[in-house]
CSV table of all heavy atoms in Angstrom, one decimal:
chain,number,residue,atom,x,y,z
A,65,ALA,N,-21.9,-4.5,-7.7
A,65,ALA,CA,-22.0,-5.2,-6.4
A,65,ALA,C,-20.7,-5.2,-5.6
A,65,ALA,O,-20.7,-5.3,-4.4
A,65,ALA,CB,-22.5,-6.6,-6.6
A,66,SER,N,-19.6,-5.0,-6.3
A,66,SER,CA,-18.3,-4.9,-5.7
A,66,SER,C,-17.3,-4.2,-6.6
A,66,SER,O,-17.5,-4.1,-7.8
A,66,SER,CB,-17.8,-6.3,-5.3
A,66,SER,OG,-17.3,-7.0,-6.5
A,67,GLY,N,-16.2,-3.9,-6.0
A,67,GLY,CA,-15.1,-3.3,-6.8
A,67,GLY,C,-14.5,-4.3,-7.7
A,67,GLY,O,-14.2,-4.0,-8.9
A,68,GLY,N,-14.4,-5.6,-7.2
A,68,GLY,CA,-13.8,-6.6,-8.0
A,68,GLY,C,-14.7,-6.9,-9.3
A,68,GLY,O,-14.2,-7.1,-10.4
A,69,GLN,N,-16.0,-6.8,-9.1
A,69,GLN,CA,-16.9,-6.9,-10.2
A,69,GLN,C,-16.8,-5.8,-11.2
A,69,GLN,O,-16.9,-6.0,-12.4
A,69,GLN,CB,-18.4,-7.0,-9.8
A,69,GLN,CG,-18.7,-8.2,-9.0
A,69,GLN,CD,-19.0,-9.4,-9.9
A,69,GLN,OE1,-18.8,-9.3,-11.1
A,69,GLN,NE2,-19.5,-10.5,-9.3
A,71,ILE,N,-14.1,-4.2,-11.8
A,71,ILE,CA,-12.8,-4.5,-12.6
A,71,ILE,C,-13.1,-5.5,-13.7
A,71,ILE,O,-12.7,-5.3,-14.8
A,71,ILE,CB,-11.7,-5.0,-11.6
A,71,ILE,CG1,-11.3,-3.9,-10.6
A,71,ILE,CG2,-10.5,-5.4,-12.5
A,71,ILE,CD1,-10.3,-4.4,-9.6
A,92,THR,N,-0.4,-5.7,-5.9
A,92,THR,CA,-1.8,-5.4,-5.8
A,92,THR,C,-2.5,-6.3,-4.9
A,92,THR,O,-1.8,-7.0,-4.1
A,92,THR,CB,-2.4,-5.5,-7.3
A,92,THR,OG1,-3.8,-5.1,-7.2
A,92,THR,CG2,-2.3,-6.9,-7.8
A,93,LEU,N,-3.8,-6.3,-4.8
A,93,LEU,CA,-4.5,-7.3,-4.0
A,93,LEU,C,-5.1,-8.4,-4.8
A,93,LEU,O,-5.4,-8.2,-6.0
A,93,LEU,CB,-5.6,-6.5,-3.1
A,93,LEU,CG,-5.1,-5.6,-2.0
A,93,LEU,CD1,-6.2,-5.1,-1.2
A,93,LEU,CD2,-4.1,-6.4,-1.1
A,94,ALA,N,-5.4,-9.5,-4.1
A,94,ALA,CA,-5.9,-10.7,-4.8
A,94,ALA,C,-7.1,-10.5,-5.7
A,94,ALA,O,-7.2,-11.3,-6.7
A,94,ALA,CB,-6.2,-11.7,-3.7
A,95,PRO,N,-8.1,-9.6,-5.4
A,95,PRO,CA,-9.2,-9.5,-6.4
A,95,PRO,C,-8.8,-9.0,-7.8
A,95,PRO,O,-9.6,-9.2,-8.7
A,95,PRO,CB,-10.1,-8.5,-5.7
A,95,PRO,CG,-9.6,-8.2,-4.4
A,95,PRO,CD,-8.2,-8.7,-4.3
A,96,VAL,N,-7.6,-8.5,-7.9
A,96,VAL,CA,-7.2,-7.9,-9.2
A,96,VAL,C,-6.8,-9.1,-10.2
A,96,VAL,O,-7.4,-9.2,-11.2
A,96,VAL,CB,-6.1,-6.9,-9.0
A,96,VAL,CG1,-5.5,-6.4,-10.3
A,96,VAL,CG2,-6.7,-5.7,-8.2
A,138,SER,N,-3.3,-1.1,-11.1
A,138,SER,CA,-3.8,-0.8,-9.7
A,138,SER,C,-3.0,0.3,-9.2
A,138,SER,O,-1.7,0.3,-9.2
A,138,SER,CB,-3.4,-2.0,-8.8
A,138,SER,OG,-4.3,-3.0,-8.9
A,139,HIS,N,-3.7,1.4,-8.8
A,139,HIS,CA,-3.0,2.4,-8.1
A,139,HIS,C,-2.8,1.9,-6.6
A,139,HIS,O,-3.5,2.5,-5.7
A,139,HIS,CB,-3.8,3.7,-8.1
A,139,HIS,CG,-4.0,4.2,-9.5
A,139,HIS,ND1,-3.0,4.6,-10.4
A,139,HIS,CD2,-5.1,4.4,-10.2
A,139,HIS,CE1,-3.5,5.0,-11.5
A,139,HIS,NE2,-4.8,4.9,-11.5
A,140,MET,N,-2.0,0.9,-6.5
A,140,MET,CA,-2.0,0.2,-5.2
A,140,MET,C,-1.6,1.1,-4.0
A,140,MET,O,-0.6,1.8,-4.1
A,140,MET,CB,-1.0,-1.0,-5.4
A,140,MET,CG,-0.9,-1.9,-4.2
A,140,MET,SD,-2.5,-2.6,-3.7
A,140,MET,CE,-1.9,-3.6,-2.3
A,141,ARG,N,-2.4,1.0,-3.0
A,141,ARG,CA,-2.2,1.8,-1.8
A,141,ARG,C,-2.0,3.3,-2.1
A,141,ARG,O,-1.3,4.0,-1.4
A,141,ARG,CB,-0.9,1.3,-1.0
A,141,ARG,CG,-1.2,0.0,-0.2
A,141,ARG,CD,-2.3,0.2,0.8
A,141,ARG,NE,-2.5,-1.0,1.7
A,141,ARG,CZ,-3.5,-1.8,1.6
A,141,ARG,NH1,-4.4,-1.7,0.7
A,141,ARG,NH2,-3.6,-2.8,2.5
A,164,ASP,N,-7.6,0.6,-11.7
A,164,ASP,CA,-8.2,0.1,-10.4
A,164,ASP,C,-7.9,1.2,-9.4
A,164,ASP,O,-6.8,1.3,-8.9
A,164,ASP,CB,-7.5,-1.2,-10.0
A,164,ASP,CG,-7.9,-1.7,-8.6
A,164,ASP,OD1,-8.8,-1.1,-8.0
A,164,ASP,OD2,-7.2,-2.6,-8.0
A,165,CYS,N,-9.0,1.9,-9.1
A,165,CYS,CA,-8.9,3.1,-8.2
A,165,CYS,C,-9.4,2.7,-6.8
A,165,CYS,O,-9.9,3.7,-6.1
A,165,CYS,CB,-9.6,4.2,-8.8
A,165,CYS,SG,-9.0,4.7,-10.4
A,166,ALA,N,-9.3,1.5,-6.4
A,166,ALA,CA,-9.8,1.1,-5.0
A,166,ALA,C,-9.2,2.0,-3.9
A,166,ALA,O,-9.8,2.2,-2.9
A,166,ALA,CB,-9.6,-0.4,-4.8
A,167,HIS,N,-7.9,2.4,-4.1
A,167,HIS,CA,-7.2,3.2,-3.1
A,167,HIS,C,-7.0,4.6,-3.5
A,167,HIS,O,-6.3,5.4,-2.9
A,167,HIS,CB,-5.9,2.6,-2.8
A,167,HIS,CG,-5.9,1.2,-2.4
A,167,HIS,ND1,-4.9,0.3,-2.4
A,167,HIS,CD2,-7.0,0.4,-1.9
A,167,HIS,CE1,-5.2,-0.9,-2.0
A,167,HIS,NE2,-6.5,-0.9,-1.7
A,187,PHE,N,-13.9,1.4,-9.1
A,187,PHE,CA,-13.8,1.9,-7.7
A,187,PHE,C,-14.5,0.9,-6.8
A,187,PHE,O,-15.3,0.1,-7.2
A,187,PHE,CB,-14.5,3.2,-7.5
A,187,PHE,CG,-13.9,4.3,-8.4
A,187,PHE,CD1,-14.2,4.5,-9.7
A,187,PHE,CD2,-12.9,5.2,-7.8
A,187,PHE,CE1,-13.6,5.5,-10.5
A,187,PHE,CE2,-12.3,6.2,-8.6
A,187,PHE,CZ,-12.7,6.3,-9.9
A,188,SER,N,-14.1,0.9,-5.5
A,188,SER,CA,-14.7,0.0,-4.5
A,188,SER,C,-15.3,0.8,-3.4
A,188,SER,O,-14.8,1.8,-3.0
A,188,SER,CB,-13.7,-0.9,-3.9
A,188,SER,OG,-14.2,-1.6,-2.9
A,189,THR,N,-16.5,0.4,-3.0
A,189,THR,CA,-17.1,1.1,-1.8
A,189,THR,C,-17.3,0.0,-0.7
A,189,THR,O,-18.2,0.1,0.1
A,189,THR,CB,-18.5,1.7,-2.1
A,189,THR,OG1,-19.4,0.7,-2.6
A,189,THR,CG2,-18.4,2.8,-3.2
A,190,GLN,N,-16.4,-0.9,-0.7
A,190,GLN,CA,-16.3,-1.9,0.3
A,190,GLN,C,-15.9,-1.2,1.6
A,190,GLN,O,-15.3,-0.1,1.6
A,190,GLN,CB,-15.3,-3.0,-0.2
A,190,GLN,CG,-15.1,-4.2,0.7
A,190,GLN,CD,-13.6,-4.2,1.1
A,190,GLN,OE1,-13.2,-3.4,2.0
A,190,GLN,NE2,-12.9,-5.0,0.4
A,193,LYS,N,-12.6,1.0,2.1
A,193,LYS,CA,-12.2,2.0,1.1
A,193,LYS,C,-12.7,3.4,1.5
A,193,LYS,O,-13.0,3.6,2.6
A,193,LYS,CB,-12.7,1.5,-0.2
A,193,LYS,CG,-12.4,0.0,-0.5
A,193,LYS,CD,-10.9,-0.3,-0.5
A,193,LYS,CE,-10.7,-1.8,-0.4
A,193,LYS,NZ,-10.6,-2.5,-1.6
A,198,GLY,N,-20.4,-1.5,2.8
A,198,GLY,CA,-20.2,-2.9,3.1
A,198,GLY,C,-19.6,-3.6,1.9
A,198,GLY,O,-18.4,-3.9,1.9
A,199,GLU,N,-20.3,-3.7,0.8
A,199,GLU,CA,-19.8,-4.2,-0.5
A,199,GLU,C,-20.3,-3.2,-1.5
A,199,GLU,O,-21.4,-2.6,-1.3
A,199,GLU,CB,-20.3,-5.6,-0.8
A,199,GLU,CG,-20.0,-6.7,0.2
A,199,GLU,CD,-18.5,-7.1,0.2
A,199,GLU,OE1,-17.8,-6.6,-0.6
A,199,GLU,OE2,-18.2,-7.9,1.1
A,200,GLY,N,-19.6,-3.1,-2.6
A,200,GLY,CA,-20.1,-2.2,-3.7
A,200,GLY,C,-19.0,-1.6,-4.5
A,200,GLY,O,-17.8,-1.8,-4.1
A,201,GLY,N,-19.3,-1.1,-5.7
A,201,GLY,CA,-18.3,-0.5,-6.5
A,201,GLY,C,-18.9,0.3,-7.6
A,201,GLY,O,-20.1,0.3,-7.8
B,401,PLP,C1,-10.5,-3.7,-2.3
B,401,PLP,C2,-9.8,-3.8,-3.6
B,401,PLP,C3,-10.3,-4.3,-4.7
B,401,PLP,C4,-11.7,-5.0,-4.8
B,401,PLP,O1,-12.7,-4.3,-4.2
B,401,PLP,P1,-13.9,-5.1,-3.6
B,401,PLP,O2,-15.0,-4.1,-3.5
B,401,PLP,O3,-13.5,-5.7,-2.3
B,401,PLP,O4,-14.3,-6.2,-4.6
B,401,PLP,C5,-9.6,-4.2,-5.9
B,401,PLP,N1,-8.4,-3.7,-5.9
B,401,PLP,C6,-7.8,-3.3,-4.8
B,401,PLP,C7,-6.4,-2.7,-4.9
B,401,PLP,C8,-8.5,-3.3,-3.6
B,401,PLP,O5,-7.9,-2.8,-2.5
Side-chain angles (χ1 to χ4, degrees):
S66 74
Q69 291 280 10
I71 295 173
T92 185
L93 286 185
V96 173
S138 279
H139 300 297
M140 181 60 177
R141 285 298 188 254
D164 170 13
C165 302
H167 304 161
F187 297 84
S188 170
T189 60
Q190 184 240 77
K193 312 300 163 91
E199 304 286 356

